Amino acid sequence: MPCGAGPFDAADRHHLCTCGRPLLARYDWERIGAHWTRESLGNATRSMWRYAPALPLTDGIPPVTLGEGWTPLFSAPRLGAELGLSHLFVKDEALNPTNSFKARGMSAAVTRARDLGATTLAVPSAGNAACALAAYAANAGLAAQVFMPRDVKSPFIQECRLHGADVTLVDGLITDAGRLAAEQGRPQGWYDVSTLKEPYRVEGKKTMGYEIAEQLGWRWPDWIIYPTGGGTGIVGIWKACDELEQLGWVRGPRPRLVTVQAEGCAPMVRAFQTGAETAEPWVGAATVADGLRVPAAVGDILVLRALRASGGGAVAVSDTEMIQGMRDLGSQEGIGAAPEGGATLAALRRLVTDGSVASRDRVVLLNTGGALKYLDVLE
Ligand SMILES: *Cc1c(COP(=O)(O)O)cnc(C)c1O
C-alpha cells in the first residue's frame, strides 16, 4: 500500500485502504514460482485465466469467465512504415466480451465478489465498465446496478439492459455517478466495484502485461502506449512488470509507459508535466472518448508513480487527432478501434515527431475498445 498499512486478509471483503487510497493484492511468489513455470503455459487455457496462479481464485471454484483475454498482438506494418518504425504492434482488446479490456477486470472482480457472498454489484462508469459488469454479473447469476452519465452513447445503455442490469442515468460525469452509486448502495449493502475502489479489477487488467510479455517471447517492448481514464490499465501493467520480475520470467529493462489523455480532460498529463504527486480534478471535462472522460481518479498517485518510475511520459491529444487515429487503424490495418485506441496512435505520432521514439524501438499500442459503440463520432 502507498501508506504501508496491512497486511489484510484476502478472505475478507475489501474496498479502499484505511488511508483512502487503493489496495493492491499481494501473492507469495516464492511458493507460486516453485510449481508454476513459463513452459507450463503451453497447455494453458486461451484466456486471461491461463495465469490463474497469479489471480484471485478461491481454491477449487472455477472463475466467472466469458473467454476474456489472450487477445492478439498484431504487428502493424503499414502504419509502422508510415511512421518509420520497424516494430509497431497493436494489442487488440476490442476482441474481448462486450468489446473492451474492461472484461478482464470484471471477470476477476465478479469472481471474487461472488466468492465473498455478494449478491448485488454496483458500478459507476463512463460506459464500458458498466457493459462488462452487466455481462459478468448475468453470467454469475448476480444482480448489477450501473450508473452512467446521462449523455453516454446509446449502445452502452442498450448493451447494459441486454444483460439485465438496472441502469441509472446521472446528470454529470462518472464522478457524479460514483457519488450517487455510493449513496444508494451503502444502505442496501451493494458490493461496489468502482475503479480501484476494490483490489481485484486491476488483477484482471494486469494480465494485459503478462500477455504482452509472453507474446513477445518474454521480453518487454520499449514502449507501451495506453489511453488513461481511471488508470487501472497503467497500474495493472506496472504490477505485471513487478510480478514477472519476481517470478524471474522476464529479464531486461521494463517498458516505458505512456499515458494518453484527451485535451478536453487531461488531469494526469497536467500532473505529470508539473511534477505533482497527485492530479487536481479537471474542470469541464469533455471528449468523444467516453473512457477518457474521467476528471478525477482515486488511483492518480499510482499512475503517476508508474509513469515516472518507467521513464515514460504523458501526452494529451485532441478529439480530431484521435478520430483520425481510429480511421488510420481501421483503413490501414483493419483494426476497429474506439477513439481511446485511436488516441494511442495520435500520441505515437507526437513521440516520433519529437524524437522520443526511435525507428528501431518496439512499440505496443493498446486498442482498449472496439469502434462499434462509437460509430456516431465518425459522422
Ligand atoms: C475505461 C477505458 C479506458 C480507460 O482505462 P483505465 O485503465 O481506467 O484508465 C480506455 N479505453 C477504453 C475503451 C475504456 O473503456
Side-chain angles (χ1 to χ4, degrees):
M1 301 324 105
C3 68
F8 299 97
D9 187 346
D12 298 332
R13 285 194 190 189
H14 294 294
H15 289 280
L16 288 172
C17 180
T18 43
C19 73
R21 293 286 176 191
L23 272 178
L24 299 176
R26 298 271 177 252
Y27 300 78
D28 180 349
W29 295 112
E30 221 165 288
R31 193 176 56 80
I32 293 169
H35 306 280
W36 193 35
T37 61
R38 295 189 309 195
E39 291 66 37
S40 69
L41 290 172
N43 304 318
T45 177
R46 299 173 72 79
S47 80
M48 75 172 201
W49 293 98
R50 65 196 285 99
Y51 310 111
L55 289 169
L57 269 180
T58 309
D59 277 348
I61 307 180
V64 179
T65 177
L66 293 164
E68 56 294 320
W70 201 236
T71 56
L73 182 69
F74 294 124
S75 71
R78 272 166 301 278
L79 284 174
E82 187 213 309
L83 287 160
L85 301 177
S86 43
H87 305 288
L88 176 60
F89 302 91
V90 179
K91 177 104 172 127
D92 196 2
E93 292 294 301
L95 298 173
N96 278 302
T98 70
N99 236 218
S100 86
F101 80 101
K102 295 291 196 305
R104 297 177 187 262
M106 288 305 177
S107 177
V110 173
T111 294
R112 201 68 202 114
R114 174 205 60 187
D115 293 351
L116 292 167
T119 53
T120 299
L121 312 186
V123 79
S125 169
N128 279 318
C131 297
L133 175 64
Y136 284 88
N139 187 260
L142 305 175
Q145 293 283 346
V146 306
F147 294 74
M148 290 184 283
R150 190 173 300 285
D151 61 355
V152 69
K153 298 171 190 26
S154 85
F156 292 99
I157 302 172
Q158 304 302 342
E159 190 179 27
C160 288
R161 294 203 172 123
L162 173 74
H163 294 303
D166 260 333
V167 178
T168 304
L169 298 176
V170 181
D171 294 315
L173 296 170
I174 183 173
T175 33
D176 305 295
R179 267 189 292 277
L180 189 66
E183 245 169 62
Q184 292 197 5
R186 215 172 291 120
Q188 312 201 56
W190 295 347
Y191 188 96
D192 183 358
V193 289
S194 300
T195 297
L196 287 168
K197 291 188 181 167
E198 57 74 56
Y200 303 113
R201 277 174 69 188
V202 72
E203 291 303 292
K205 289 170 179 185
K206 79 183 182 189
T207 59
M208 289 186 286
Y210 278 69
E211 288 176 23
I212 290 168
E214 184 176 357
Q215 288 169 322
L216 291 175
W218 301 111
R219 229 184 95 194
W220 290 116
D222 298 293
W223 300 87
I224 295 178
I225 304 186
Y226 203 96
T228 296
T232 51
I234 291 280
V235 173
I237 291 171
W238 194 240
K239 191 168 192 277
C241 291
D242 226 35
E243 295 180 356
L244 289 171
E245 258 168 38
Q246 301 218 36
L247 282 165
W249 287 11
V250 186
R251 299 214 167 78
R254 295 187 184 193
R256 294 173 189 269
L257 303 183
V258 176
T259 270
V260 190
Q261 295 196 300
E263 282 176 357
C265 181
M268 304 278 190
V269 177
R270 183 172 61 189
F272 183 85
Q273 287 169 350
T274 60
E277 225 202 333
T278 58
E280 290 297 316
W282 191 271
V283 177
T287 167
V288 297
D290 297 87
L292 305 187
R293 204 164 53 138
V294 180
V298 67
D300 54 359
I301 189 168
L302 301 177
V303 174
L304 289 161
R305 278 184 192 172
L307 297 179
R308 289 183 176 125
S310 77
V315 178
V317 300
S318 69
D319 281 11
T320 310
E321 288 172 286
M322 59 177 93
I323 292 168
Q324 187 58 46
M326 283 175 85
R327 291 190 198 281
D328 293 343
L329 282 160
S331 62
Q332 298 199 50
E333 301 292 349
I335 293 170
E340 294 87 337
T344 64
L345 180 59
L348 175 60
R349 286 192 196 286
R350 299 265 186 98
L351 296 170
V352 168
T353 305
D354 75 11
S356 304
V357 170
S359 63
R360 308 279 318 154
D361 286 355
R362 304 202 308 165
V363 179
V364 174
L365 306 181
L366 262 293
N367 179 36
T368 44
L372 293 181
K373 286 183 250 183
Y374 302 80
L375 292 178
D376 63 334
V377 309
L378 298 173
E379 279 162 15

